């Protein structure tokens, strides 16, 4: 393949002979598996000159990886935590911290630069990470319940679950409240989803009891 590079890399075209090469050219080839699809990950940072624009997950972007261009890609963004192999999905990025961008694309091996465009504007840049379909991206969901009866540190909470079997299944999961308390489920009460809980301090009637649940998610499949 010959890539025209007079004013930057534009597109590729099959060469019709050396006499047809009248501009500066880049000659390149693909490695063994670089025509196969996989989950591509990259580490991005926002363009400081476009700080007023948010990066939203599942929006359409044009991604430039080295000399290869992927159009109408709908990536998902997730926060990177040091010392942790998992990342947490976020709906949008409005900070200048480094984030991970994941999407389905042709396999390409690092190192390679990444440019993220939308409406011909450069929104972010970064470096390519190794393709890894086993990378875990977690999305958090919060279940909420409300105190029904309170006795010191103990309380009966309702409206978080509506089935006693669900309460038994999620009993080992830690609870927390909007006012900063921590607690656990003791047992189910009745048949309508009420549950008896205990907390590390006195629970107030205007507090909200919450439970974090996490689900593994994948990028949007780009082909219909």
């Amino acid at each position: 393949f010959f890539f025209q590079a007079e004013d930057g890399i534009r597109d590729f075209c099959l060469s019709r002979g050396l006499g047809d090469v009248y501009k500066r050219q880049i000659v390149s080839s693909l490695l063994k598996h670089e025509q196969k699809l996989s989950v591509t990950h990259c580490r991005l940072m926002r363009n400081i000159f476009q700080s007023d624009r948010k990066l939203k997950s599942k929006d359409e972007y044009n991604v430039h990886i080295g000399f290869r261009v992927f159009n109408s890609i709908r990536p998902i963004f997730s926060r990177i935590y040091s010392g942790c192999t998992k990342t947490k999905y976020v709906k949008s990025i409005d900070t200048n911290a480094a984030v991970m961008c994941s999407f389905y694309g042709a396999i390409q091996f690092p190192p390679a630069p990444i440019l993220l465009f939308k409406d011909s504007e450069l929104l972010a840049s970064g470096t390519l990470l190794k393709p890894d379909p086993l990378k875990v991206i977690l999305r958090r969901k919060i279940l909420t319940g409300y105190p029904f009866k309170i006795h010191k540190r103990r309380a009966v909470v309702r409206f978080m679950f509506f089935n006693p079997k669900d309460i038994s299944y999620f009993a080992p999961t830690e609870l927390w409240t909007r006012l900063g308390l921590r607690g656990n489920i003791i047992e189910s009460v009745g048949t309508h989803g009420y549950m008896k809980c205990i907390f590390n301090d006195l629970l107030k009637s205007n507090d909200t009891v919450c439970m974090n649940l996490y689900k593994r998610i994948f990028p949007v499949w780009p082909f219909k």
Side-chain angles (χ1 to χ4, degrees), residues 115-179:
L115 299 176
L116 189 71
F117 289 89
K118 185 174 184 180
D119 300 329
S120 301
E121 294 183 355
L122 177 62
L123 299 184
S125 61
T127 57
L128 179 68
L129 304 176
K130 67 177 182 179
D132 185 7
L134 301 180
K135 182 75 173 179
V136 177
I137 304 173
L138 298 176
R139 182 171 187 173
R140 185 179 69 173
K141 292 290 186 180
I142 300 178
L143 302 183
T144 58
Y146 303 93
F148 178 63
K149 293 182 180 179
I150 300 175
H151 179 67
K152 297 182 179 179
R153 294 170 49 209
R154 298 174 181 264
V156 176
V157 179
R158 60 178 178 176
F159 298 151
M160 181 177 289
F161 300 103
F162 297 91
N163 191 324
K165 292 183 179 180
D166 294 336
I167 297 175
S168 300
Y169 183 83
F170 291 103
T173 308
E174 185 184 35
L175 302 175
W176 57 277
T177 72
R178 301 290 186 184
L179 298 182

Side-chain angles (χ1 to χ4, degrees), residues 15-21:
S15 173
R16 296 189 294 272
L18 294 178
D20 193 42
V21 181

